[in-house]
Amino acid sequence: MAHSTLSSKMSSLLSTRKANSALRTLTVSPATSKDFSSNDFLSLSTSPVLRTAYLSELTSHPDFRLGSSGSRLLDGNSLYAENLEKEIAEFHGAEAALLFNSGFDANEGFFACVPQRGDVVVYDAFIHASVHEGMRLSRAGRKVMFEHNSVQDLERVLSELARDEAVRDGERNVFVAVESLYSMDGDLCPLKEIVELVERMLPNDNGHIIVDEAHSNGIYGSQGRGVVCSLGLEDRIFARLHTFGKAIGCNGAAILCSPLTREYLINYARPLIYTTAMSFPSLAAIKVVYGLMKDGITVPLIWHLNSLITHMYEQLLTLQPLTTDSALLRLPQSLPNSPIFALLTPEPRSLAKWCQAAGFVVRPIVPPTVPEGTQRVRVCLHAGNSKQEVEALVASIRAWLIARRRAESAEEIVESLDVKARL
């Protein structure tokens, strides 16, 4: 087959990415490696307790259908799915819930159809790509970014929008999109302050806050209900996204909202309408995990995870003598309030490769996933990790720092000798 123009273009773009050290590839980690990378925060995906309860749930429905066989609007719906939605909504203190196949589908579907023509979407600078995709498809008249987690900059944006008479009078809706926990930096949104600001500046009920709880579901709030519930803001948030592929250890997602919004999404959210619904085995896994959370089974896992966060931070502080006068690694300045540690370094691939060779799964995160100059190794802690494993990971990072500093010193000596030779 002749090499087409399209093939040439794709090859060229991939070559450019490779030259810029930005080429993505699929990898499989050795089974013996220690996981410090995945979003399986509670280690439920490998939990014997979950596995046993899951198999029991399947056994109690011996005639279940393996596939859903269609879209929920056609033949893929079931009483099991609808009852699960009611259980999820009740657990999170919401009026209603609507299942989606993934968090990406849910965000894309919501932001593509809910904002009406002429409305405005205001979003945090670090909002997820799925929200951007939804906004790209949206009929909203404007999409306005505010600085990450900056209540002050959000106030500036809302003040500018309030110059529009339709916004002031409540005729034009303003949607504010944030995440409760941001996945790359591991920082929490100042949600209470944002809610109070939006209510103060948009007093005519046209300010609608949407909170993505993908990374906080299962690990914050009472029994893992999330950040919104932990702050008592359930009735002041327009919609919440809760995904099941991270701390919950399953797959899929649900949007928590009003019954009216749920009905609207059923009629207008294309990722829901035009896709095969989740299968019974997937629904059963979600139901079982929510049962474990309601029964308090996951609470000790959350406690252990929180103890690991403190231990990891204390261990990283022991690296300060190697980092204070070096740009090789920037450590967290304070105790993180999440299991996500961003270790900023100009050499993320080198550090990640070193740790991987020592048996730890960590990943380098580089632009365009994160802004230029903020490349890092992202470390995620899990309830299945031990304090000894945390100590061993930090020891590996220490060994890398020592090796790189020695290499830098050797390079400086060589450069000095070269200068003297030229003189």
Side-chain angles (χ1 to χ4, degrees):
M1 181 182 293
H3 200 59
S4 68
T5 302
L6 176 59
S7 297
S8 298
K9 181 63 175 178
M10 289 192 295
S11 295
S12 175
L13 289 171
L14 289 172
S15 296
T16 300
R17 280 214 155 177
K18 187 174 183 179
N20 293 333
S21 298
L23 185 68
R24 296 183 173 101
T25 59
L26 298 177
T27 60
V28 177
S29 301
T32 56
S33 297
K34 302 301 181 183
D35 180 14
F36 282 95
S37 173
S38 79
N39 294 318
D40 187 18
F41 300 123
L42 296 181
S43 300
L44 287 177
S45 69
T46 57
S47 165
V49 174
L50 172 55
R51 185 180 293 111
T52 299
Y54 174 62
L55 294 176
S56 176
E57 179 70 12
L58 294 182
T59 302
S60 66
H61 296 79
D63 298 324
F64 73 82
R65 190 166 53 184
L66 189 59
S68 66
S69 79
S71 163
R72 288 190 71 185
L73 273 74
L74 298 176
D75 304 301
N77 195 30
S78 65
L79 285 176
Y80 194 92
E82 293 191 352
N83 288 334
L84 176 59
E85 288 174 330
K86 292 175 183 176
E87 290 180 29
I88 292 170
E90 181 181 0
F91 181 77
H92 293 289
E95 292 183 274
L98 183 62
L99 291 165
F100 283 79
N101 285 9
S102 72
F104 197 106
D105 282 353
N107 266 335
E108 179 186 11
F110 180 95
F111 284 96
C113 75
V114 174
Q116 304 298 301
R117 192 173 305 279
D119 286 347
V120 183
V121 180
V122 179
Y123 61 95
D124 186 284
F126 288 3
I127 204 71
H128 194 262
S130 55
V131 175
H132 283 281
E133 190 65 15
M135 289 191 295
R136 186 181 66 84
L137 300 170
S138 173
R139 295 169 295 171
R142 293 182 63 188
K143 296 95 175 180
V144 186
M145 182 186 76
F146 67 94
E147 294 176 9
H148 174 57
N149 270 354
S150 173
V151 178
Q152 181 179 4
D153 195 51
L154 175 58
E155 183 173 11
R156 176 192 63 80
V157 169
L158 294 179
S159 295
E160 292 179 0
L161 293 176
R163 297 173 185 171
D164 180 353
E165 184 178 354
V167 171
R168 288 199 309 274
D169 294 345
E171 297 175 4
R172 195 186 310 283
N173 297 300
V174 177
F175 295 86
V176 179
V178 297
E179 298 180 26
S180 54
L181 171 63
Y182 289 88
S183 62
M184 289 295 111
D185 289 82
D187 51 345
L188 289 171
C189 169
L191 189 56
K192 185 177 180 181
E193 292 83 353
I194 286 177
V195 169
E196 292 172 349
L197 175 67
V198 171
E199 290 176 345
R200 174 169 59 83
M201 301 200 67
L202 299 170
N204 293 315
D205 294 328
N206 60 325
H208 309 293
I209 300 172
I210 298 90
V211 183
D212 185 333
E213 293 241 45
H215 287 84
S216 56
N217 192 26
I219 60 175
Y220 290 92
S222 175
Q223 298 176 313
R225 285 176 166 83
V227 171
V228 171
C229 288
S230 73
L231 297 173
L233 299 173
E234 296 94 326
D235 296 334
R236 300 164 73 181
I237 301 298
F238 182 79
R240 291 174 267 166
L241 169 69
H242 281 256
T243 65
F244 313 130
K246 298 176 175 63
I248 306 303
C250 303
N251 68 287
I255 287 184
L256 309 181
C257 54
S258 68
L260 173 63
T261 303
R262 181 180 185 273
E263 183 180 10
Y264 184 87
L265 289 169
I266 289 172
N267 280 272
Y268 289 97
R270 295 171 71 88
L272 174 78
I273 298 168
Y274 298 107
T275 195
T276 300
M278 279 193 289
S279 65
F280 177 84
S282 293
L283 298 175
I286 297 165
K287 177 180 174 62
V288 168
V289 174
Y290 270 84
L292 296 179
M293 291 196 292
K294 283 189 285 187
D295 291 340
I297 303 300
T298 62
V299 171
L301 302 178
I302 297 171
W303 290 345
H304 178 60
L305 181 62
N306 288 331
S307 73
L308 288 181
I309 294 170
T310 301
H311 192 61
M312 178 73 177
Y313 177 66
E314 290 172 348
Q315 289 296 304
L316 287 174
L317 290 180
T318 67
L319 302 180
Q320 284 184 337
L322 296 170
T323 61
T324 50
D325 61 344
S326 170
L328 277 174
L329 189 66
R330 286 167 53 191
L331 301 174
Q333 298 300 304
S334 58
L335 176 66
N337 46 23
S338 84
I340 302 170
F341 284 70
L343 305 182
L344 273 63
T345 172
E347 302 179 24
R349 287 187 173 82
S350 171
L351 175 54
K353 185 176 180 180
W354 181 285
C355 292
Q356 289 164 5
F360 303 102
V361 183
V362 296
R363 305 292 182 190
I365 309 296
V366 299
T369 303
V370 293
E372 290 287 347
T374 67
Q375 54 265 41
R376 80 278 308 267
V377 168
R378 179 176 181 260
V379 174
C380 290
L381 302 179
H382 312 92
N385 293 133
S386 66
K387 289 187 176 181
Q388 291 75 21
E389 289 170 352
V390 168
E391 292 163 7
L393 172 62
V394 175
S396 181
I397 297 172
R398 178 182 291 106
W400 177 79
L401 282 168
I402 292 172
R404 286 298 299 119
R405 286 171 67 94
R406 286 174 178 169
E408 287 182 345
S409 296
E411 291 169 2
E412 290 173 0
I413 291 172
V414 170
E415 290 177 1
S416 177
L417 293 174
D418 286 344
V419 170
K420 290 179 179 179
R422 286 194 296 270
L423 293 175

